[in-house]
Amino acid sequence: MKILVRNLDRSVTDTEVLDLFKAYGKVESCVVVKDAETGKSKGFGFVEMPNPREAIKAIKGLNTLRVKGVGIRVKAADDQA
């Protein structure tokens, strides 16, 4: 299941997001989207979890969690994303 993670502080790294999701199960991939020119975070990313049950637990557990003082938004990504 592909998960969209929004409202990330610009300093949050791929590894930090991965660590949040690993607590809920197996993670296939995790990427914080970066600006092509500056290399800085755009404030959102995607996580892929192969087990839908673990993915749903992660979404429920992490949505609105405060990371570096900012409440993140976590939801299932649209197939087009």
Side-chain angles (χ1 to χ4, degrees):
M1 178 183 266
K2 192 171 191 176
I3 302 167
L4 171 63
V5 185
R6 295 181 308 150
N7 210 32
L8 291 169
D9 183 273
R10 304 287 173 163
S11 66
V12 173
T13 66
D14 293 356
T15 305
E16 289 170 312
V17 175
L18 177 63
D19 288 343
L20 290 174
F21 281 85
K22 278 199 309 195
Y24 291 89
K26 184 176 184 334
V27 176
E28 273 182 358
S29 68
C30 172
V31 63
V32 173
V33 177
K34 295 180 179 63
D35 183 277
E37 288 182 24
T38 65
K40 294 187 178 179
S41 168
K42 287 191 170 188
F44 71 96
F46 294 97
V47 175
E48 288 259 10
M49 294 183 79
N51 183 322
R53 188 171 286 134
E54 292 173 352
I56 289 165
K57 279 186 184 174
I59 290 167
K60 288 180 179 173
L62 295 173
N63 190 38
T64 71
L65 178 76
R66 293 182 81 72
V67 177
K68 296 196 177 181
V70 180
I72 64 172
R73 309 298 290 164
V74 182
K75 67 175 194 163
D78 296 333
D79 288 337
Q80 302 89 353

